[in-house]
Amino acid sequence: MSTQDASAETEDAQTEPSTGSAHQDRRMREKRERQAERDEQAQADAEAAADEEAVQLKVFRYDPEVEGKQEPRFDDFHVPFEKGMTVLDALIYARDHFDSSLTFRHSCRQAVCGSDAFFVNGSQRLGCKTQLVELEEPVRIEPLPHQDVVKDLVVDMDHFYDQMEAVEPYFQEKEEDLPDAEGLEEQRQSPENREKIKMSSRCIWCGACMSSCNIAAGDNEYLGPAAINKAYKFAMDDREGEDLKQHRLNILEQEHGVWRCQTQFSCTNVCPKDIPLTEHIQELKREAVKNNLKFW
Amino acid sequence: MHEHDVIVVGAGGAGLRAAIAAQKAGADTAIVTKLHPVRSHTGAAEGGINAALREGDDWELHAYDTMKGSDYLGDAPAIETLAQDAPEDVIRLEHWGMPFSREEDGRVSQRPFGGLSFPRTTYAGAETGHHLLHTMYEQVVKHGVQVYDEWFVSELAVTDHDDPEDRTCHGVVGYDVQSGEVAGFKANQGVILATGGPGQVFDHTTNAVSCTGDGQAMAYRAGAPLEDMEFVQFHPTTLPSTGVLISEGVRGEGGILYNEEGERFMFEHGYANNEGELASRDVVSRAELTEVNEGRGVNDEYVHLDMRHLGEERIMDRLENILHLAEDFEGVDGLVEPMPVKPGQHYEMGGIETDENGETCINGLYAAGECACASVHGANRLGGNALPELIVFGKRAGKHAAGEDLGEAEITTGRTDETEPGEVDSPVSLGAVDSSDEDAVADGGAVTGESVVEQAVDAQKQRVEQLLEKDDGVQHAEIRERLQKAMTENVNVFRNEEGLKTALREIRKAREDYQDVYVDDPSRTFNTDLQQTIETRNLIDIAETITLGALARDEFRGAHWRQEHQERKDDEWLKHTLISWDEGSPDLWYKPVVLEGENKTYEPKERSY
Amino acid sequence: MSQSYNRGLVEDFGRWKEFSAGMWAWIFHKFTGWVLIGYLFTHIAVLSTATEGAATYNNTLGGLEDLLIVRVLEVGLLAVAVFHILNGVRLLMVDLGVGLESQDKSFYVSLVVTAVIVVASVPTFLSGVGA
Amino acid sequence: MAERYSSFDRGGTRWLLQRITAAFLIVVLAFHFFQLHFVTHAYEIELAGTEARMQNPAYFATMVLFLVTAAFHGINGVYNALVNQGIEGTQKTVVKWGLIAAGIVLVAQGIRVATVMAGVSIA
Ligand SMILES: Cc1cc2nc3c(=O)[nH]c(=O)nc-3n(C[C@H](O)[C@H](O)[C@H](O)COP(=O)(O)OP(=O)(O)OC[C@H]3O[C@@H](n4cnc5c(N)ncnc54)[C@H](O)[C@@H]3O)c2cc1C
Ligand code: HEM
Ligand code: SF4
Ligand code: F3S
Ligand code: FES
């Protein structure tokens, strides 16, 4: 199955970056040997730690270059538990104390950068925003489903970014029309209209929703809930005016736009920013229909 | 090798703004960033962005407040530029679609913030930075700026002239995190560093894991001096367990601080009889720690910030995300109980020395945002003044690099006849342990820009190879942890000579250990182990400059408090600390503060709130 | 650029239990929809015997109705149709943006109501087999 | 990048029709089931009865409309499902016309049967 493809792929992968150096091979081999020793050590540490309160993590491991990791596997880590510990804290602990090659994206630790969406115990969640106490043990951590894995918990986000950028996510106003310095006046927007786009503007591009949607998984061209939500923000913002709203609805009405959504709601369920994605998508469908009726 | 007119390193608020400005000015611009732009830490900013937009307010008031807040260590030309440009730039953001909060009449909302004489902090909920970052990224997409994301910039490609002011920056060396490829980025017109703050020097910080001061360290090693690094802002309200920030907006809206005895200590213990909770950040941070040190802290660790009296409606309207933060990261419901808070590292006032056009003393090298020091914030930054700094100076740096004429800068960079040498009594030797491999400046007499970049690339390849090749030794995580602990213990809100010296010893030890560092992960694919190892080196350099500056400055000014020196010494210390990396060893010198503004000269006054 | 490991089928393996209410509703709705259109074709085919005259028609229908299996299938058809209708109503509500927060509850309600109706109709459907 | 979505099939109309037919079907299908399983039990059905019902023009019209909407709804549903499954290009065209043909046959045959039942002789 696909595992075979992967190992076939890695054949040339190995030679590519190392440009065939014998040195790297040796180094890899040695590293592997020492790795084994360290694994034992880590295991011993972990067992010692297990006497205290420890949480068991099962973490997905894969590296196209490193032998033993080319075939995906799950590694166990026993991390000493502290009050208030999040999944991300536990991963950081495991990386810093047991295996520095454990790889995952993270940055802000406060649910704003959107780097650390993982598949935790069967659901897409932000590592930094998920308390360990809320999870059943062992805590199984995998990369986001339906995306290519680059290494361990890191997935390729390029497709997600492409979709986000495909909805023309920017104000279209022509810069030339703006007076340069003085005389640049703010546009008015009613508090109600700002309230309307409030939730949609909270998206942190974590990709959890896209990964949870079956439709997006089956249809690579489907814009996906996050991108549609992004477009919603612009379509609903009164500052842009009717013509542009038309234009935006046209983009959304494409075959792989809003009509693809089958109201599965899993996007809404997993969104860490509690954005009512399905609701926004449905509202856009109705807008699109209304819009078409107007033109009939 | 990639080639563009302008290369912007970093894609936070400053980097994005610079890139937009440069691209619009006609330069072929590219952004190289170790995180995808929307992951940048600007997204974490909550409270708002200062700009004098309304009747009754004007830029001069904004400038005055900023100067006072800076404890007279800001340079007037930079401060006035900030105050003058901010209104237009904020309105431009509005035109780009940034969803600011709105008043009934449809205009953007503003709120009071600490140290401001007018409620001029313009905000978008309690997630201003998030909207600012995303709005600008949208413009970057619109203008077709090329973005190299998840490319880690590790070194600048600078010529090897003896005097840094003769050097020219021709580009940068990047490391593709995804594939492990090392490549050069040649900049025909200029390199703009916008790499953000170095918060990870401390272990309790509001900054992201990626805030490792890379740009500052790179520029420093390339010869650009770091200015006023000892001025580190500690934010008074961060959650004790994670360092997650509770915005000043809470106090702006009327939140109150209580100690364990339920006293409103800002007033009852006389820390700030007029402004109370809204006094400047340094004042509030010290007040909290004093309360804790004197035994009136909750659990001997923190104090309480209470916003319950504001009512659910107001809280939901303006501070909703604070509720989520307290809930998710501390397990506290801000609607039913007060939130625990303590001071945490928040902002580095110092940075790469630049003028008000963002230019450093090295030709073709610019810096903007938190990594730069123009100096707007002096000894203490006012809340809501960093975001306007990003857009104002980001824009200026971008335009200037693209060749637009912004007029002669009034602030000087590099050594002039006004500078004076400094001296500091360090208990250990400073700087590089073994200078041979530490010199970032290309040598070997490379002449063309291309060869300078190529040389830097080769050097970097070697370094990566070395790190990967080494099979045992110390791992960076260990070094980093010890360094952060030492910094938080000794170079925190309260500083004294002994502590600072202890810190210098620890930093030395870290440097020595770093000689023996190795990267365990042999893979070229997404090797974060390698990346963090390189970052740790930068943290060490930055920690040293902070501590060194703090030890040298024997006065109490702004955020810099010294136990032995409890007053501000204007006669001696109205000057900026500068530290240059002189062939591997830090060289300390000073330059005077510029207090002459456009229309007036700012007279240092006592700073009381 | 980098080589990535496409998890392909491994991906979906064992993921069913991780489905949420909305996803199950989608799957059931799909399934029932297909059954219904399939039935519509058969139904018309069976009814076409009317063109051959009353005897054929009556015999065919009567004959079919005599078979227990057909009766059981009819109960199944009822179940399928009722669920499709109820969930269809649920979906129409979702389309109109009504009660989105309780979309999972309305799915469970559809299931329960379907079960109740089906059980209640069994006597009617099975009465007179072979009569 | 937006060009990638420049296909002209804007599903809006069919989406709306799918909902409208659904709403109509709720009523008729319920009626149909009730009529033929509860009022008249299925095993009692004889052509005579059917003919009697069909002779009523309103019933006849309802049934024909029932057939047409159900056919549209079902076939459009199947088509959507297949498209969602990711069929493209020729495959999609084939499926589309195949389904349309099947739908036409279904409706034609249905109407023919209904007219027979209504007692109109067919040539
Ligand atoms: C929690 C919090 C709240 C705040 N609230 C406010 C507020 O309300 N108002 C206010 O005015 N200010 C606020 N600030 C301060 C302000 O947000 C920051 O100073 C500002 O966002 C820094 O922006 P920047 O563009 O300089 O850097 P950042 O946004 O940190 O961006 C740095 C960029 O550089 C890139 N980078 C770094 N190193 C490298 C490298 N080696 N190679 C390539 N790329 C690199 C990163 O990928 C990133 O894109 C707050 C700060 C924090 C932490
Ligand atoms: C009686 C009331 C009915 C209601 C309320 C109803 C409702 C719906 C709705 C709303 C959908 C669209 C689902 C979506 O696109 O997200 C749908 C799909 C469908 N319906 Fe119905 N329907 C009814 C009757 C029927 C009948 C009689 C048939 C058979 C002829 C049928 C066959 C289908 C099919 C095949 C689908 C496509 C399923 C899929 O997505 O795979 N439906 N129905
Ligand atoms: S919509 Fe929600 S789940 Fe999707 S990317 Fe945005 S924040 Fe993440
Ligand atoms: S999960 Fe997918 S189907 Fe629609 S409701 Fe969400 S986008
Ligand atoms: S680390 Fe930034 S969202 Fe979790």
Side-chain angles (χ1 to χ4, degrees), chain B residues 296-341:
Chain B
R296 294 190 296 275
V298 186
N299 290 335
D300 280 331
E301 198 199 344
Y302 49 83
V303 296
H304 276 145
L305 173 60
D306 198 345
M307 61 175 183
R308 290 172 294 179
H309 57 284
L310 299 179
E312 181 164 350
E313 197 185 321
R314 178 127 165 244
I315 294 175
M316 287 307 285
D317 183 37
R318 311 203 175 168
L319 300 164
E320 188 191 330
N321 88 319
I322 300 296
L323 287 179
H324 300 314
L325 293 177
E327 178 80 50
D328 295 336
F329 304 105
E330 200 70 42
V332 169
D333 183 347
L335 289 176
V336 299
E337 50 193 325
M339 299 173 285
V341 292

Side-chain angles (χ1 to χ4, degrees), chain D residues 9 75 79 87 90-101:
Chain D
D9 175 21
I75 283 174
Y79 176 67
I87 54 162
T90 351
Q91 221 183 355
K92 191 165 136 184
T93 326
V94 170
V95 166
K96 181 163 142 194
W97 291 110
L99 283 173
I100 290 179

Side-chain angles (χ1 to χ4, degrees), chain B residues 1-19:
Chain B
M1 191 182 306
H2 305 276
E3 187 174 334
H4 296 273
D5 292 340
V6 174
I7 302 274
V8 180
V9 182
L16 295 173
R17 190 64 187 86

Side-chain angles (χ1 to χ4, degrees), chain C residues 1-90:
Chain C
M1 270 207 277
S2 68
Q3 320 76 40
S4 54
Y5 171 65
N6 188 330
R7 284 169 293 175
L9 283 176
V10 179
E11 185 87 290
D12 301 322
F13 183 70
R15 286 272 146 87
W16 294 70
K17 66 179 190 312
E18 283 144 11
F19 276 22
S20 59
M23 286 159 107
W24 283 116
W26 175 70
I27 290 184
F28 287 175
H29 197 82
K30 215 178 226 307
F31 173 75
T32 52
W34 283 74
V35 170
L36 286 175
I37 184 70
Y39 175 74
L40 183 59
F41 275 93
T42 350
H43 194 50
I44 295 295
V46 171
L47 294 183
S48 297
T49 51
T51 53
E52 315 275 311
T56 333
Y57 182 74
N58 292 348
N59 285 341
T60 319
L61 265 77
L64 283 172
E65 289 297 326
D66 276 347
L67 300 174
L68 183 63
I69 179 72
V70 172
R71 296 302 189 90
V72 173
L73 283 176
E74 273 183 358
V75 177
L77 180 68
L78 178 76
V80 160
V82 172
F83 175 81
H84 193 92
I85 293 180
L86 291 176
N87 193 56
V89 173
R90 170 180 166 277

Side-chain angles (χ1 to χ4, degrees), chain B residues 218-337:
Chain B
M218 282 186 276
Y220 176 51
R221 289 196 298 265
L226 297 185
E227 180 174 342
D228 292 340
M229 292 297 283
E230 65 271 29
F231 294 103
V232 180
Q233 180 166 80
F234 292 84
H235 197 288
T237 54
T238 70
L239 295 175
S241 59
T242 47
V244 165
L245 179 84
I246 298 301
S247 163
E248 188 158 326
V250 176
R251 282 170 293 138
E253 296 291 340
I256 297 176
L257 289 166
Y258 295 107
N259 62 16
E260 194 188 25
E261 280 135 42
E263 294 168 307
R264 193 172 178 182
F265 57 85
M266 290 309 296
F267 289 108
E268 291 184 38
H269 289 268
Y271 297 106
N273 287 323
N274 297 328
E275 308 273 328
E277 281 80 8
L278 281 176
S280 183
R281 290 180 177 172
D282 53 323
V283 176
V284 183
S285 284
R286 275 194 300 273
E288 289 175 3
L289 276 193
T290 309
E291 290 298 301
V292 172
N293 291 347
E294 292 179 0
R296 294 190 296 275
V298 186
N299 290 335
D300 280 331
E301 198 199 344
Y302 49 83
V303 296
H304 276 145
L305 173 60
D306 198 345
M307 61 175 183
R308 290 172 294 179
H309 57 284
L310 299 179
E312 181 164 350
E313 197 185 321
R314 178 127 165 244
I315 294 175
M316 287 307 285
D317 183 37
R318 311 203 175 168
L319 300 164
E320 188 191 330
N321 88 319
I322 300 296
L323 287 179
H324 300 314
L325 293 177
E327 178 80 50
D328 295 336
F329 304 105
E330 200 70 42
V332 169
D333 183 347
L335 289 176
V336 299
E337 50 193 325

Side-chain angles (χ1 to χ4, degrees), chain A residues 86-88 108-112 116 126-130, chain B residues 328-329:
Chain A
T86 62
V87 168
L88 179 65
C108 68
R109 307 161 302 146
Q110 49 185 281
V112 297
D116 62 339
L126 278 189
C128 60
K129 206 183 167 222
T130 307
Chain B
D328 295 336
F329 304 105

